[in-house]
Amino acid sequence: MSSSSAGTVHLAVYDTFADWETGYTTAHLTQNGYTVRTVGLSREPVTTMGGLRVQPDLALDELRARDSALLILTGASGWDTGETLTPFARTAREFLEAGTPVAAICGATAGLAREGLLDDRAHTSAVSFYLAATGYAGGGRYVEADAVTDAGAGGAGSLVTAGPTEPVAFAREVFGLLGVYDAKKLDAWYRLFHDSDASAYEVLQGE
């Protein structure tokens, strides 16, 4: 990843993508100086699970790991109903091999499992048997946690995974990975948005 691209995060978009799963992530990245660009299979509009129409900023074949700080993959019905979204899993492999991080939530974790990207990494998802159904070889690395970050090895990019009910924990892992907040503010951010701890707001607002 080049320093000039450090502020660009790419969000994969496709029909039925679960728009609520990355709302915290993209909103707070944008508020903290990052640019979020959407990536589709093509530049044709897609419709989210929530019924929103999204015009991708670029097509998948235009995306390069060197131009990105992070690739985010959300859940969608297509991860479990065919191979339409397989190109995104292959792109995730290219990112990780290039040393650029990837964050996957919900059904996207199954897509990565089918691609073999979870075989040798600590990871989580909705439930362990959901990933086991893919036939992947990484069951021994499954972690019962809200969200998991695996730092990779040998120059590989870090990988964040989470289940569909954990958009706040998913965002926390992304922020920690990218250094958006220091440890104290990251803890406060999570307590505010996950636990509704009003006392955390003052910490976030402090210099």
Side-chain angles (χ1 to χ4, degrees):
M1 182 180 65
S2 65
S3 59
S4 62
S5 66
T8 303
V9 169
H10 291 90
L11 171 66
V13 295
Y14 22 74
D15 283 330
T16 77
F17 91 82
D19 35 15
W20 72 90
E21 291 176 345
T22 60
Y24 289 99
T25 303
T26 55
H28 289 272
L29 285 175
T30 299
Q31 290 175 19
N32 283 278
Y34 283 82
T35 297
V36 177
R37 301 195 71 200
T38 52
V39 184
L41 285 170
S42 71
R43 290 190 178 223
E44 291 300 310
V46 300
T47 303
T48 74
M49 197 172 290
L52 302 180
R53 187 173 183 269
V54 177
Q55 177 79 55
D57 293 315
L58 68 162
L60 190 60
D61 61 8
E62 300 174 86
L63 178 62
R64 300 292 181 269
R66 65 177 178 270
D67 299 323
S68 184
L70 174 73
L71 173 64
I72 303 173
L73 302 172
T74 72
S77 60
W79 289 114
D80 298 313
T81 57
E83 298 185 359
T84 303
L85 301 184
T86 299
F88 286 100
R90 292 174 181 153
T91 298
R93 175 182 293 281
E94 294 171 4
F95 266 58
L96 294 172
E97 290 178 348
T100 304
V102 172
I105 185 170
C106 188
T109 62
L112 299 192
R114 293 186 183 93
E115 184 65 19
L117 297 177
L118 305 185
D119 290 351
D120 300 312
R121 289 175 174 267
H123 62 275
T124 194
S125 185
V127 287
S128 60
F129 56 80
Y130 170 62
L131 292 187
T134 68
Y136 84 133
R141 304 298 304 275
Y142 189 90
V143 180
E144 294 288 352
D146 294 343
V148 172
T149 299
D150 184 288
S158 297
L159 175 64
V160 174
T161 51
T165 61
E166 300 298 339
V168 180
F170 181 71
R172 177 195 60 195
E173 296 301 304
V174 169
F175 301 156
L177 176 64
L178 296 180
V180 174
Y181 300 113
D182 61 30
K184 184 178 180 181
K185 286 191 174 182
L186 184 61
D187 173 70
W189 185 91
Y190 184 75
R191 287 190 289 111
L192 180 62
F193 288 97
H194 187 267
D195 303 326
S196 298
D197 182 351
S199 69
Y201 182 78
E202 184 177 350
V203 178
L204 277 176
Q205 294 304 303
E207 295 298 329

